[in-house]
Amino acid sequence: MARKPFIAGNWKMNMTVESGKQLIAELKPLVKEAKCDIALCVPAILIPAMAKAVKGSKIKLGAQNVHFAENGAYTGEISAEMLKDYGVKYVIIGHSERRQYFGETDETVNKRTLTALKNGITPIVCVGETLSERENDETEKVLSRQLEIGLKDVEDVTKLVIAYEPVWAIGTGKTATDEQAQETIKFIRKKLGKLFGVKNANKVKIQYGGSMNAKNCKGLMAQPDIDGGLIGGASLKLDFATIVNYDK
Ligand code: PEP
């Protein structure tokens, strides 16, 4: 069965209750006819207000992180149960900004992924190489490590989404070419096949992320192994609707 495309926005640490509500109100009619699945991953504190804002639309709500413990003495953290309270369906795990600035490791990515899955929230697990890793021909080695450790003990890999986000392309305006993105995502699928079986790997949605925008989305989405996008900057504007409607 064909994989249904999935476009997710990552608001990062942007927007307020008012600006978020306004953007969603404007997006709603524009994405009504979209053929893909759609999510907006919003800052935790905006989740309650945005949960109301997306009601009655095709837009599902996502978070940008989840703690791996069910509850307890983890000041400042958010549990899967808290996210579920507001109908959160997706959670970004292991975004490169969290790896770079907040000490996220492949091991903590793995713990968060297992917790999200256990709680019925779909993890969007981010993997990707830095510029120096690409230049040193280490892309496949890095991705293999991120997948082997990050997805350890996952029972059903088809219940998660992978976002391939080359770090050098995030927020830089530098997009991977269609061919670069396709080739690397094909490698990721092959690796998933080795870890979880080819049949399962062929069911996993793999997004591209990294300066994807209203102009370059068509070419990227036309690639056979690219099933969607994780969109940062362009998800803060109505361009997000253009990306969601990439096939029109
Ligand atoms: C991201 O945050 O995952 C991302 C891809 O950002 P941008 O689209 O701004 O490069």
Side-chain angles (χ1 to χ4, degrees), residues 4-29:
K4 188 172 180 191
F6 173 39
I7 306 285
N10 173 14
W11 281 3
K12 310 193 185 191
M13 197 174 72
N14 294 294
M15 307 300 262
T16 60
V17 171
E18 269 325 297
S19 59
K21 281 203 302 203
Q22 195 182 329
L23 178 60
I24 288 175
E26 289 175 30
L27 284 173
K28 271 177 163 179

Side-chain angles (χ1 to χ4, degrees), residues 67 69 71-75 77:
H67 197 264
N71 55 44
Y74 298 100
T75 302
E77 295 296 318

Side-chain angles (χ1 to χ4, degrees), residues 125-215:
V125 180
C126 299
V127 295
E129 80 287 1
T130 62
L131 185 58
S132 66
E133 287 163 344
R134 178 161 280 263
E135 285 171 351
N136 289 334
D137 240 348
E138 290 174 346
T139 301
E140 295 192 354
K141 189 179 97 187
V142 169
L143 293 172
S144 293
R145 189 204 67 224
Q146 290 174 339
L147 293 168
E148 277 164 23
I149 302 176
L151 304 186
K152 191 167 169 271
D153 296 333
V154 165
E155 276 174 19
D156 186 355
V157 75
T158 67
K159 293 224 155 47
L160 56 78
V161 173
I162 301 285
Y164 166 57
E165 299 209 304
V167 180
W168 47 271
I170 299 178
T172 57
K174 253 193 194 175
T175 323
T177 62
D178 299 346
E179 293 73 26
Q180 265 173 336
Q182 163 58 25
E183 195 193 324
T184 315
I185 289 180
K186 191 175 167 191
F187 169 79
I188 291 173
R189 201 175 296 289
K190 205 169 113 201
K191 180 75 193 176
L192 291 177
K194 283 189 188 142
L195 294 173
F196 298 99
V198 173
K199 210 167 146 203
N200 288 325
N202 284 338
K203 289 186 191 156
V204 179
K205 290 181 197 188
I206 309 181
Q207 300 174 317
Y208 167 78
S211 299
M212 191 161 166
N213 58 37
K215 282 208 181 97

